């Protein structure tokens, strides 16, 4: 493992309590600065993979190392601290609707204040400045005082990206971040996500169902089908036979496109 390796996943398997194996022997590692899109049809295991990485679901087998440390070896408290350094962007934004945009982004700073400050929502000047600069980075600072639930979908997702950035994350994970947005908007939000990830040098994993979006933005594509990695390479290396394997019977990414 090189010292640029932020994340190393080895033989990861996930079996849900009902016995369904959603991931089988998944291995890959992620270097500083990489922008990776994970593609696959619905049910392939993309969300399960991201949830395993940030500890939202327990893994069944294998290992996940972040900066050389096996996550399984951490105490519960250390796991919580680690999770606060992993930015997560959801398809449905997951903002607190009754709070302002600014307050939502400040919650990204929770890992940097003590418990009492967190309890009373007290964030000192450096945290407020950081939150504002994150909003500026995604061109949404003019909405800082709006209630989050008054924003459009594209604006909400920019705020969610700003909140993840405010965490000063080691890794950014985004689960279908633009699937709820119309196509034109989805490309501009993806472009902003890629821009900030590259500026910060934060390695980023983005689950994307749509192949064209993945090809447009990824440095590297990982293709998953039935819980297994079928492809790991550059967008240019993706050939039509591989795409047919990944997207078998997927009507929203019809195989006729790769013929
Ligand atoms: N909590 C769960 N219990 C049992 N099966 C699950 C659970 N969550 C997801 N699955 C199954 O695991 C598979 C992968 O799901 P998911 O990771 O959500 O795929 P994707 O994000 O690629 O659509 C699917 O077949 C799904 O039905
Ligand atoms: Mg999913």
């Amino acid at each position: 493992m090189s010292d640029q390796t932020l994340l190393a996943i080895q033989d990861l398997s996930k079996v849900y309590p009902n016995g369904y194996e959603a991931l089988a022997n998944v291995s890959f590692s992620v270097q500083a600065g990489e922008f990776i899109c994970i593609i696959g049809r619905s049910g392939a295991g993309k969300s399960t993979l991201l949830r395993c990485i940030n500890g939202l679901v327990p893994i069944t087998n294998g290992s996940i190392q972040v900066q050389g440390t096996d996550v399984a070896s951490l105490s519960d408290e250390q796991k919580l601290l680690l999770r606060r350094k992993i930015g997560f962007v959801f398809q449905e934004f997951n903002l607190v609707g009754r709070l302002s945009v600014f307050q939502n982004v400040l919650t990204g700073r929770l890992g940097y204040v003590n418990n009492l400050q967190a309890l009373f929502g007290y964030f000192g000047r450096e945290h407020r400045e950081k939150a504002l600069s994150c909003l500026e980075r995604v061109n949404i600072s003019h909405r800082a005082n709006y209630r989050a639930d008054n924003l459009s979908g594209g604006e909400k997702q920019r705020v969610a990206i700003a909140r993840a950035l405010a965490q000063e994350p080691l890794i950014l994970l985004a689960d279908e971040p633009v699937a709820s947005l119309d196509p034109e908007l989805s490309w501009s939000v993806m472009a902003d996500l890629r821009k900030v990830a590259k500026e910060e040098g934060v390695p980023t994993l983005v689950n994307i169902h749509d192949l064209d979006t993945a090809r447009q933005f990824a440095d590297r594509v990982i293709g998953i089908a039935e819980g297994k990695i079928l492809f790991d390479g550059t967008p240019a290396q993706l050939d039509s036979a591989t795409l047919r394997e990944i997207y078998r019977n997927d009507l929203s990414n019809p195989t006729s496109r790769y013929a």
Side-chain angles (χ1 to χ4, degrees):
M1 184 165 52
S2 86
D3 57 6
Q4 292 285 83
T5 304
L6 259 291
L7 175 69
I9 295 176
Q10 194 65 45
D11 288 326
L12 172 65
S13 298
K14 171 64 188 174
V15 180
Y16 280 110
N18 66 357
Y20 187 81
E21 186 175 53
L23 294 173
N25 295 97
V26 166
S27 300
F28 63 96
S29 58
V30 178
Q31 314 296 312
E34 281 190 294
F35 194 87
I36 300 173
C37 289
I38 299 172
I39 60 170
R41 43 189 268 206
S42 180
K46 304 182 296 298
S47 296
T48 301
L49 176 59
L50 295 195
R51 289 191 200 122
C52 286
I53 294 170
N54 89 337
L56 284 174
V57 300
I59 70 173
T60 307
N61 253 311
S63 70
I64 297 176
Q65 291 188 6
V66 177
Q67 285 187 318
T69 302
D70 192 331
V71 176
S73 72
L74 300 177
S75 67
D76 286 348
E77 194 182 348
Q78 287 170 323
K79 278 184 192 145
L80 180 65
L81 291 176
L82 175 64
R83 195 171 307 157
R84 286 185 168 167
K85 298 287 277 177
I86 298 180
F88 206 104
V89 176
F90 299 85
Q91 177 177 344
E92 295 302 336
F93 326 121
N94 284 24
L95 301 178
V96 183
R98 66 187 163 75
L99 294 183
S100 73
V101 162
F102 188 62
Q103 287 169 316
N104 269 280
V105 177
L106 274 176
T107 65
R109 300 299 297 166
L110 281 172
Y112 297 92
V113 297
N114 67 39
N115 289 343
L116 203 61
Q117 290 169 322
L119 186 64
F120 289 101
Y122 174 77
F123 295 90
R125 183 168 153 192
E126 59 164 310
H127 301 295
R128 296 195 308 268
E129 282 174 357
K130 177 77 186 172
L132 195 58
S133 85
C134 291
L135 283 168
E136 282 164 0
R137 303 276 298 281
V138 288
N139 307 311
I140 197 76
S141 55
H142 58 292
R143 294 281 189 258
N145 296 319
Y146 276 51
R147 263 177 74 118
D149 52 12
N150 288 336
L151 302 181
S152 70
E155 290 174 330
K156 283 181 182 160
Q157 201 55 303
R158 288 203 159 81
V159 175
I161 293 167
R163 177 179 59 187
L165 267 188
Q167 291 173 248
E168 297 179 49
L170 292 169
I171 306 167
L172 256 176
L173 306 175
D175 195 359
E176 311 250 10
V178 297
S180 303
L181 308 178
D182 65 49
E184 213 172 302
L185 195 55
S186 79
W187 279 42
S188 84
V189 170
M190 275 297 283
D192 274 2
L193 179 61
R194 184 184 155 91
K195 181 186 72 123
V196 295
K198 287 285 173 184
E199 284 169 355
E200 298 286 318
V202 188
T204 303
L205 294 177
V206 187
N207 284 349
I208 286 264
H209 176 258
D210 181 65
L211 174 64
D212 291 333
T213 311
R215 282 211 269 220
Q216 176 69 21
F217 292 100
D219 302 323
R220 174 178 165 197
V221 172
I222 295 178
I224 303 188
E226 293 173 0
K228 297 185 185 70
I229 293 186
L230 293 192
F231 175 84
D232 185 348
T234 65
Q237 289 167 336
L238 264 174
D239 59 39
S240 52
T242 308
L243 287 169
R244 271 195 296 272
E245 278 284 295
I246 295 170
Y247 285 113
R248 263 174 297 191
N249 306 323
D250 182 343
L251 296 178
S252 57
N253 280 293
T255 50
S256 59
R257 268 164 54 184
Y258 326 123

